[in-house]
Amino acid sequence: MTNQTTHPDQITIGVFDSGFGGLTVLRELLPLIPAARYLYLGDTARLPYGSKSRETIARYAVSSARFLLDQGADLLVIACNTATALALDDIRTAALPIPVLGVIEPGAQAAAKVTLAARESTGQTPGSQILVLATTATVQSHAYSHALARLSIHATEKACPLLVPLVEEGWIDHPVTREVARIYLSEALAEDRSINTLLLGCTHYPLLHPLLQQTLVDLGRPLTLIDSAQATAQAVAACFQQASPLRERKGALCTFYATDFTDKFERLGSRFLGQPLSGVHLIDLGG
Ligand code: DGL
């Protein structure tokens, strides 16, 4: 798949995340490109990526991308914010000649659109208008603030390392998670009154959407929440805009791979995918 005229029912889209959070991206892809075949890999044995060094993240992400290439992927979607932020160039080099799309640019563009519209309607002076919540590694890379700066928007970034394990635990509506979110948000928002948009810069955070929204209301700072899943799926779909009309297929063909805990992947992954998920293949990508 190297040009925009390739028909989606002839291609295999590889979707990669450090765990099952990237299923939120697959969830958005399925209705947009129902004719494609999908391979999803969650590197659950080596999760979390968000607390690791750039070198380690790049090594893990490249080996995961190579696995999907070996399985026949024609296009790769890096549905992991941390891997996109720290290793997109390494993955692109390793995956040549197939196209590789990450989540940072589409997410930044979606958030920029919202915040620029708010700026216009309120006549707000430019300040730090977007708050990005992400893993420690993503925040330290400043990938989101650089992407937003290219769109003339200044962002505040906040690392929220406790949120991934809380979501992994299934505590998506739990008093502990509410308190942790309250602390992170009040610390971040204290820095700037001009923030009007909250960008969820981690695959796990969309599951906390209702909890985060309520916490913002409780703090008296309601914001527009944006996540990159939908914007990324739209960017992938744009690759096929010029293709001929889709041939109908009853239900997309998805194959799932995980590097550990396939039962947990099936159980929690169903929440991220929004539908039951089964038959996950256990694979070994080494250390
Ligand atoms: N997938 C990661 C991200 O979107 C979160 C989980 C992890 O730290 O590996 O940043």
Side-chain angles (χ1 to χ4, degrees), residues 119-134:
R119 189 191 286 181
E120 261 174 41
S121 70
T122 59
Q124 209 178 27
T125 50
S128 199
Q129 291 166 323
I130 296 185
L131 170 61
V132 182
L133 303 186

Side-chain angles (χ1 to χ4, degrees), residues 17-19 47-51 79-83 135 138 164 201-204:
D17 180 35
S18 56
L47 174 131
Y49 281 20
S51 56
C80 174
N81 292 263
T82 306
T135 64
T138 300
V164 166
C202 172
T203 49
H204 284 58

